[in-house]
Amino acid sequence: MTQLPLADVLPISASVNDAGRLAINGLDVRDIVEEFGSPLYLFDESTIREMCREFVGNFRRHYPKTDIEYSTKAMSNPAILKIIEQEGLHIDVVTGGELAFALAANFPAEKINFHGNNKVRSELREAVEAGIGRITIDSFHEIELLNEVAGELGTTQDVNLRVSPSIDPHTHRLTSTGVLDSKFGFSIETGDAEKAVAAALAQPNLDVQGLHFHLGSPLFELEPYEEAIEYVCAFAARMKWVHHLELNEFSPGGGMAIGYLSSKLPPTIAEYAQTISESLVSACTKYGLDQPRMIIEPGRSIVGRAGVAVYSVGGIKRIPGVRTYVSVDGGMGDNIRPALYEAEYEVMSVDDPLGEPTQKVTIAGKFCESGDLLAKDVELPDVKTDDLLALPASGAYCVPMASNYNLQTRPAIVLVTEQSEARLIRRRETYADLLATAIFE
Ligand SMILES: *Cc1c(COP(=O)(O)O)cnc(C)c1O
């Protein structure tokens, strides 16, 4: 088989087929698009399973008491949740909607954790009623509110507390969450975290299991995890001494990066697993803590590489000496990450993945914003109207952030199964969907 360019950022089953086109698990991507339409999001089942196994295998090898908890906000779909469940993962949700979705997909409630900085009363009630496994408390308001809700329902809720370790993870400022100036978590530095431990332990209807932090995403460096684990374990030891906090559980969050550009690849999952596990073991030894159950919360790194967005080329605008815009039939409505975070993507010609680049172009979306550009200055072979372009590494935070801006219908999603079937797992929206919630007099 011919060596596939961009193999590091494409699904593991991607290849070039005999027709010279991009294939996923042996299925010709153009054939799939001809069947299901464009734009289209493809997910490769074998990549999702492989990522789950890499996380479970590598972490348990270094730290047997690990559970992997998939963050469903990265991509939620019943078929994908089924795969995640079969691989033995837990999940987390951040809204009542995500919880309802997970429960509708029959995900076991005891394996669900509820995150979020401002859960409202009705959401907390729904979660406790469903018998959710964990709720991760993020504010003083929530300590009281959840204690009250659990009391009304005559139960005790297992909870963790989200602390903020004031550590800069060196990622985009809009995706840093563990710094002092953040809306998330109880700051250890200001003393809020200690007050939260004392307050939560005093509530009759809350059972505090341990501590959680999440630094941000995507983190291409390992050091921020090391520093934060050391700092939070030192805090936990002090809380054990002062407030008798038993650290049964410890979660250093998610945030593991994926390769978006083949020139900027992240550490391997094995490397994240080794650093995080060894940091926790050594901090527990240093501070005299029993080794807690560890919960790792990857979202992006489970589904990101599995997803490929495919668009059709429409108009091409050449501005001599300035730039060539290649317009496609999707854009910020299905992938807002370039506009929101200056995220960068590789672009591949589905019809000619091995073609020598002949030009530098900018891939423009079809939405009415000048900032609706999917990729700037990418090198491509000649492309013409109706050619298909693939954006690899589109599996995380694209579909879930999609909107109906400009009243554009959102794309269909197809799962390429391990048996090489193209299975529709979300149908393309129709105009009727757009009209469904409108009220016409
Ligand atoms: C979003 C989030 C995650 C997952 O982040 P990824 O970058 O997708 O791995 C994990 N934990 C918490 C609390 C989050 O908010």
Side-chain angles (χ1 to χ4, degrees), residues 55 69-74 92 94 113 115-116 136 138 162 177 184 212-214 216-219 225 251-257 296-302 396-397:
F55 268 95
E69 184 179 285
Y70 169 65
S71 277
T72 64
K73 73 178 190 286
D92 65 51
V94 295
N113 177 18
H115 277 299
T136 302
D138 205 299
R162 177 168 183 166
T177 58
F184 292 107
H212 156 79
F213 66 83
H214 175 68
S217 179
L219 309 192
Y225 290 103
S251 165
M256 296 80 195
I296 302 295
E297 305 178 346
R300 185 190 315 274
S301 44
I302 296 285
Y397 301 109

Side-chain angles (χ1 to χ4, degrees), residues 41 43 69-76 80 92 94 98 115 174-175 177 214 216-219 253-258 260 297-307 309 311 331-341 343 345 374 393-403 413:
Y41 276 78
F43 280 81
E69 184 179 285
Y70 169 65
S71 277
T72 64
K73 73 178 190 286
M75 172 67 198
S76 194
I80 290 174
D92 65 51
V94 295
E98 283 188 357
H115 277 299
L174 294 181
T175 55
T177 58
H214 175 68
S217 179
L219 309 192
M256 296 80 195
I258 60 166
Y260 285 100
E297 305 178 346
R300 185 190 315 274
S301 44
I302 296 285
V303 289
R305 188 177 168 187
Y311 303 97
M332 67 186 286
D334 62 86
N335 183 355
I336 201 171
R337 296 188 64 259
L340 190 60
Y341 306 135
Y345 286 91
L374 287 170
S394 298
Y397 301 109
C398 296
V399 173
M401 288 194 186
S403 77
I413 307 175

Side-chain angles (χ1 to χ4, degrees), residues 51-123:
M51 294 306 144
C52 291
R53 288 171 197 178
E54 292 240 352
F55 268 95
V56 173
N58 280 298
F59 273 93
R60 290 203 177 143
R61 189 154 49 82
H62 292 287
Y63 196 94
K65 279 198 288 180
T66 306
D67 281 312
I68 306 297
E69 184 179 285
Y70 169 65
S71 277
T72 64
K73 73 178 190 286
M75 172 67 198
S76 194
N77 176 279
I80 290 174
L81 290 180
K82 181 53 73 186
I83 295 168
I84 299 286
E85 188 193 345
Q86 286 169 350
E87 294 297 329
L89 274 63
H90 294 227
I91 58 170
D92 65 51
V93 298
V94 295
T95 61
E98 283 188 357
L99 175 62
F101 202 85
L103 294 172
N106 286 320
F107 207 94
E110 67 276 10
K111 288 189 167 185
I112 303 178
N113 177 18
F114 199 167
H115 277 299
N117 70 300
N118 191 27
K119 310 170 197 75
V120 301
R121 179 185 286 270
S122 58
E123 290 176 317

Side-chain angles (χ1 to χ4, degrees), residues 147-379:
N147 181 63
E148 207 175 287
V149 167
E152 283 163 14
L153 294 171
T155 183
T156 305
Q157 178 63 48
D158 283 334
V159 300
N160 286 324
L161 298 177
R162 177 168 183 166
V163 297
S164 169
S166 306
I167 283 174
D168 183 350
H170 306 135
T171 185
H172 194 280
R173 83 190 149 75
L174 294 181
T175 55
S176 294
T177 58
V179 292
L180 176 59
D181 184 3
S182 166
K183 71 172 183 172
F184 292 107
F186 298 102
S187 168
I188 295 177
E189 187 180 336
T190 64
D192 270 2
E194 174 162 5
K195 287 183 197 144
V197 166
L201 286 171
Q203 306 301 318
N205 306 312
L206 302 183
D207 202 344
V208 182
Q209 295 298 319
L211 301 176
H212 156 79
F213 66 83
H214 175 68
L215 297 173
S217 179
L219 309 192
F220 281 83
E221 297 168 22
L222 298 168
E223 291 74 18
Y225 290 103
E226 284 179 298
E227 280 177 54
I229 290 170
E230 153 83 25
Y231 184 61
V232 175
C233 285
F235 171 75
R238 201 153 53 74
M239 291 307 99
K240 181 175 175 161
W241 183 250
V242 182
H243 298 286
H244 310 292
L245 172 72
E246 280 304 326
L247 189 72
N248 301 325
E249 289 179 10
F250 178 82
S251 165
M256 296 80 195
I258 60 166
Y260 285 100
L261 302 179
S262 58
S263 59
K264 190 186 177 200
L265 295 176
T268 61
I269 295 170
E271 288 168 324
Y272 284 109
Q274 181 171 358
T275 299
I276 290 171
S277 304
E278 287 178 356
S279 301
L280 181 56
V281 169
S282 84
C284 286
T285 307
K286 179 169 171 187
Y287 296 110
L289 295 166
D290 293 334
Q291 288 182 9
R293 168 178 173 243
M294 176 162 73
I295 303 138
I296 302 295
E297 305 178 346
R300 185 190 315 274
S301 44
I302 296 285
V303 289
R305 188 177 168 187
V308 179
V310 187
Y311 303 97
S312 298
V313 174
I316 298 172
K317 173 176 175 177
R318 294 182 206 280
I319 309 172
V322 177
R323 190 181 296 281
T324 296
Y325 288 96
V326 172
S327 288
V328 296
D329 53 357
M332 67 186 286
D334 62 86
N335 183 355
I336 201 171
R337 296 188 64 259
L340 190 60
Y341 306 135
E342 301 168 302
E344 294 179 284
Y345 286 91
E346 302 277 6
V347 181
M348 173 178 260
S349 163
V350 168
D351 303 288
D352 190 13
L354 301 176
E356 284 297 317
T358 56
Q359 52 179 347
K360 206 178 245 188
V361 301
T362 287
I363 310 300
K366 65 170 291 178
F367 295 82
C368 291
E369 290 284 330
S370 292
D372 175 28
L373 305 175
L374 287 170
K376 281 184 206 160
D377 295 331
V378 289
E379 303 215 324

Side-chain angles (χ1 to χ4, degrees), residues 409 427 429-438:
T409 55
R427 68 164 170 78
E429 287 179 344
T430 63
Y431 293 156
D433 292 321
L434 300 177
L435 294 169
T437 49

